[in-house]
Amino acid sequence: MEIYFGIKGLWYLGPKKSLRWLKDNDKSAYKVFENALHINSSFEEIEKLVSFIINSTFAGEK
């Protein structure tokens, strides 16, 4: 999550506050993080999170 906030140029507020911030301000990112961070998350959900972060990194480059 800290990497994602850095990519977006946002202050990382720690895990709880940052997750809450995502819930209020970036619903799509919140959902991906929430799904991947559950204790019973599947490998597929974690892969989705990694892809989401990578795609966020390169979204502005073309």
Side-chain angles (χ1 to χ4, degrees):
M1 194 178 314
E2 189 171 353
I3 293 169
Y4 177 76
F5 272 71
I7 290 167
K8 294 295 192 175
L10 301 168
W11 287 100
Y12 178 68
L13 308 169
K16 291 179 184 178
K17 287 182 181 179
S18 294
L19 196 58
R20 203 170 316 127
W21 188 92
L22 288 175
K23 186 176 183 179
D24 294 339
N25 298 284
D26 189 345
K27 302 247 188 258
S28 60
Y30 172 77
K31 190 67 176 163
V32 176
F33 275 99
E34 180 187 41
N35 291 341
L37 294 175
H38 281 291
I39 196 156
N40 298 342
S41 291
S42 67
F43 188 70
E44 182 180 324
E45 293 299 331
I46 296 167
E47 284 181 320
K48 286 179 186 177
L49 174 60
V50 172
S51 292
F52 180 80
I53 293 170
I54 290 170
N55 290 332
S56 296
T57 303
F58 299 110
E61 297 180 12
K62 288 199 179 185

